[in-house]
Amino acid sequence: MAELRHSSSMGSRAASASPRKRDDVAVASSPLSPDNIPTSSSSDDNRSRHTRDRGGLRSFFSAGHLHSLFPFSFTDDARLHTHNSKISVFVLCLIFLAAIISVSSIVNRLNAPYLCKKDGIVLHCPRVKEHPSLWENPYSATTSWKPCAERRVGIISDLPAENETTGYIFIHAEGGLNQQRIAICNAVAVAKIMNATLILPVLKQDQIWKDQTKFEDIFDVDHFIDYLRDDVRIVRDIPGWFTDKSELFTSIRRTVKNIPKYAPAQFYIDNVLPRIKEKKIMSLKPFVDRLGYDNVPPEINRLRCRVNYHALKFLPKIEQMADQLVSRMKNRTASSNPFMALHLRFEKGMVGLSFCDFVGTRAEKALMALYRLKEWPRRFKDGSHLWALALQKRKEGRCPLEPGEVAVMLRAMGYPKETQIYVASGQVYGGQNRMAPLRNMFPNLVTKEELATKAELDGFRKHVTSLAALDFLVCLKSDVFVMTHGGNFAKLIIGYRRYMGHRLKSIKPDKGLMSKSLGDPYMGWATFVEDVVVTHQTRTGLPEQTFPNYDIWENPLTPCMCKA
């Protein structure tokens, strides 16, 4: 066994020491070996030696020899290299594509229009580099959008003649001036939906305002009809062939009364249009909020904006008087000054209807309780639940701001004592005592009665809505508009100012924040100022998307404005 192991180890050593011998054997058997090549001189010997060496290398790197040394082939290695190259190219393509997408995203962000977005009740707006101003919104936030609900120019109208429409509709525009304005816009839209002829709406006498104003006493009828001539057929009066005109006001056979609030366009086509085709002329009432917003075609909402912002013009004498009031507000000091318009909703009727609790003596609160019991007996009941209701409504920000609360809020925002303020308001509940805190902090408060002479206003006193129209126009053209409670007036003003380009500030107070802050006895002035300023940075009429179920009167951007 020892001899066997010795012989095998010797064999292995001989095998390991034999490459040169194997080479010699290979060279000897090669056709390029010296034995097979004729020699002539020493140079030929060198050349033959060089050739012999090359022949040995070639035989060493032959495919069979390499395969005996390495178990894998160079063909497999080439395939692996090709596969890796494909992966590298694919990765590079992905990186290149990601770079393109990133650059495109950055470019889109830079070119994206300025638009605030809502997250619940919080409004998030893009940052701007401009220093905040008390009197106008940042310029960079107001250049992305432009009005686009104006009359189409150069388009041939396919509107049928008056006698070829589906029939006539007649509406009563109820409520105050601003509720009537909305009803008129909706009436034009409904006529367009049903391809009907619209009889000039009647402004119904309001039970609160006790006003007998007619359409032509407030609005420019000729401009109204002419501006909408390519959209809807409008006539000034009930057609002559319909003899019993009073029937439209009294007869149930000529009235459509089952229209739900915020009805979709399809409801009118399915339920109202057949009756108009049958009777040829029908009255729609009641007509307050009888057309929806997100359930009608976009072109119908755009038509409503066309009526509101372009077709409905006040009479020239109202426009001129309003321009005079604006000019006097801007020139109350030695030099031209900006001014604020404050819509103060604190009339007795508003205070009573809110069912909120306000600062006052026991006698005042007792009288208010009797007033509420008389006007709203079903809601008042026995009055035992009203205190809890009042606290809940105030916490939720559903109570009108008192004049004193408005004064504190404006001062926290940074408006100085010298600020010129135009007050659009009815008779404030509580009179001068209630107004005292506001007047003490901002003594430059004026109303239209103080800006204009009695003789100038006498021509407008015949119609209460004419005076309301003056307030509307002054607030519309003010540098800053501040509302204190909801309602159609503030809603229409804010929407109109947005439609004009978002540059004009329209402040909508966060009444929930005001209630919480003013009710906290431990909150210092500095903390209160910070809360007010931060919260109201985005509540100034900046561009934001019109949300579903969010009426277009306060925010007309989505249906009625285009990217600039």
Side-chain angles (χ1 to χ4, degrees):
M1 291 294 292
E3 292 177 356
L4 180 61
R5 284 197 298 269
H6 178 72
S7 62
S8 64
S9 66
M10 289 296 290
S12 63
R13 280 199 298 272
S16 63
S18 62
R20 182 175 298 175
K21 293 181 179 180
R22 287 198 305 271
D23 290 345
D24 293 340
V25 173
V27 170
S29 63
S30 172
L32 296 178
S33 64
D35 295 338
N36 297 329
I37 298 176
T39 61
S40 59
S41 62
S42 60
S43 61
D44 293 339
D45 293 340
N46 294 334
R47 190 179 296 111
S48 64
R49 192 181 301 115
H50 178 68
T51 304
R52 184 171 61 249
D53 295 339
R54 290 175 60 189
L57 290 173
R58 185 177 292 114
S59 65
F60 180 81
F61 286 105
S62 64
H65 189 73
L66 288 176
H67 186 72
S68 66
L69 293 176
F70 303 100
F72 58 88
S73 67
F74 277 88
T75 304
D76 294 337
D77 184 55
R79 290 176 181 174
L80 180 62
H81 178 71
T82 304
H83 181 68
N84 290 338
S85 298
K86 289 181 179 180
I87 293 177
S88 300
V89 171
F90 180 71
V91 171
L92 287 175
C93 289
L94 286 179
I95 295 173
F96 182 70
L97 183 61
I100 292 176
I101 294 173
S102 299
V103 172
S104 176
S105 176
I106 293 172
V107 171
N108 288 337
R109 285 186 180 183
L110 292 175
N111 296 329
Y114 187 98
L115 189 66
C116 300
K117 297 182 179 180
K118 262 190 176 178
D119 181 12
I121 62 173
V122 180
L123 190 66
H124 298 286
C125 297
R127 292 184 179 180
V128 295
K129 296 182 180 179
E130 299 169 57
H131 188 72
S133 168
L134 288 174
W135 297 103
E136 56 190 6
N137 284 322
Y139 177 76
S140 57
T142 63
T143 58
S144 298
W145 303 94
K146 64 178 182 180
C148 60
E150 63 273 7
R151 181 173 59 188
R152 297 164 294 178
V153 179
I155 297 178
I156 300 176
S157 174
D158 56 353
L159 199 64
E162 177 187 337
N163 58 352
E164 295 177 0
T165 61
T166 56
Y168 295 81
I169 62 171
F170 178 78
I171 67 123
H172 290 86
E174 303 172 353
L177 172 65
N178 302 290
Q179 189 169 314
Q180 291 171 347
R181 188 184 188 97
I182 293 174
I184 293 167
C185 297
N186 288 340
V188 173
V190 168
K192 179 68 173 179
I193 290 170
M194 298 189 294
N195 195 23
T197 299
L198 175 66
I199 301 170
L200 197 67
V202 169
L203 307 185
K204 187 177 180 181
Q205 178 180 350
D206 187 79
Q207 295 180 352
I208 297 176
W209 295 102
K210 305 295 183 183
D211 194 20
Q212 295 280 8
T213 306
K214 297 179 181 179
F215 191 102
E216 56 269 25
D217 294 330
I218 297 294
F219 300 110
D220 187 334
V221 177
D222 292 333
H223 176 79
F224 178 73
I225 295 176
D226 179 69
Y227 199 90
L228 298 172
R229 67 178 184 271
D230 295 332
D231 295 295
V232 176
R233 191 70 63 192
I234 303 174
V235 295
R236 290 175 176 266
D237 203 356
I238 299 170
W241 55 262
F242 189 76
T243 55
D244 191 3
K245 296 183 178 181
S246 61
E247 188 179 356
L248 276 178
F249 295 87
T250 57
S251 175
I252 192 67
R253 296 184 299 108
R254 292 285 180 180
T255 304
V256 181
K257 303 194 70 166
N258 61 340
I259 304 174
K261 276 197 169 186
Y262 307 111
Q266 196 62 41
F267 177 89
Y268 286 90
I269 295 173
D270 295 340
N271 299 278
V272 181
L273 182 57
R275 298 187 64 183
I276 292 176
K277 287 181 176 180
E278 177 189 359
K279 300 288 186 180
K280 291 303 178 185
I281 181 168
M282 293 293 291
S283 173
L284 312 182
K285 64 179 183 181
F287 199 67
V288 178
D289 297 328
R290 288 311 192 265
L291 184 62
Y293 302 103
D294 59 329
N295 50 10
V296 301
E299 59 269 18
I300 295 299
N301 280 331
R302 195 173 300 116
L303 175 59
R304 293 155 105 177
C305 289
R306 188 173 303 137
V307 179
N308 188 29
Y309 303 127
H310 298 281
L312 273 179
K313 295 288 185 183
F314 292 111
L315 290 175
K317 65 177 184 179
I318 298 177
E319 297 268 0
Q320 293 167 8
M321 188 67 230
D323 288 340
Q324 291 184 35
L325 295 177
V326 170
S327 177
R328 292 170 189 177
M329 281 300 304
K330 287 183 173 291
N331 294 281
R332 295 194 74 223
T333 58
S335 58
S336 179
N337 57 267
F339 77 96
M340 174 190 295
L342 174 64
H343 185 225
L344 193 58
R345 294 299 307 275
F346 209 74
E347 306 89 352
K348 183 178 180 179
M350 177 55 62
V351 172
L353 181 61
S354 70
F355 279 84
C356 293
D357 186 62
F358 298 97
V359 176
T361 64
R362 289 184 179 180
E364 284 179 325
K365 293 187 177 184
L367 290 174
M368 177 54 67
L370 292 175
Y371 174 69
R372 287 170 172 166
L373 176 60
K374 177 184 176 182
E375 297 294 332
W376 302 280
R378 290 185 179 180
R379 290 186 60 186
F380 189 85
K381 299 178 182 178
D382 60 356
S384 59
H385 68 294
L386 294 182
W387 175 246
L389 175 64
L391 288 178
Q392 182 66 24
K393 294 186 73 172
R394 183 164 290 277
K395 183 185 297 184
E396 295 172 354
R398 294 191 289 145
C399 294
L401 291 178
E402 296 188 44
E405 294 174 325
V406 176
V408 173
M409 179 189 71
L410 294 179
R411 183 58 59 84
M413 290 179 179
Y415 290 98
K417 184 177 182 180
E418 297 76 24
T419 302
Q420 304 291 328
I421 301 179
Y422 178 91
V423 179
S425 167
Q427 186 174 359
V428 174
Y429 175 68
Q432 293 302 320
N433 290 336
R434 185 74 64 175
M435 287 291 292
L438 177 59
R439 193 172 290 277
N440 288 339
M441 297 184 74
F442 296 94
N444 294 316
L445 292 176
V446 291
T447 62
K448 57 182 174 292
E449 288 78 12
E450 295 170 299
L451 280 178
T453 65
K454 182 178 180 300
E456 286 176 322
L457 293 181
D458 281 344
F460 301 94
R461 296 188 190 279
K462 182 179 179 181
H463 305 293
V464 177
T465 47
S466 296
L467 296 174
L470 292 177
D471 280 340
F472 184 94
L473 289 172
V474 175
C475 289
L476 182 64
K477 299 175 182 181
S478 64
D479 295 282
V480 172
F481 172 71
V482 181
M483 61 173 286
T484 60
H485 196 52
N488 292 321
F489 183 96
K491 186 189 302 182
L492 287 167
I493 292 291
I494 292 176
Y496 209 137
R497 289 164 69 90
R498 277 175 159 157
Y499 186 77
M500 291 163 63
H502 298 96
R503 185 66 166 161
L504 301 174
K505 262 194 171 184
S506 304
I507 298 175
K508 186 176 182 179
D510 186 338
K511 294 182 292 182
L513 171 73
M514 294 299 298
S515 172
K516 178 182 177 182
S517 300
L518 294 175
D520 185 354
Y522 301 104
M523 179 174 285
W525 176 251
T527 305
F528 175 71
V529 168
E530 183 181 3
D531 286 352
V532 170
V533 170
V534 171
T535 302
H536 291 87
Q537 281 178 346
T538 59
R539 301 177 69 90
T540 59
L542 292 168
E544 63 174 296
Q545 186 178 1
T546 307
F547 291 91
N549 300 318
Y550 185 87
D551 67 73
I552 62 174
W553 312 118
E554 187 174 338
N555 182 18
L557 186 142
T558 303
C560 305
M561 302 187 75
C562 307
K563 293 179 182 178

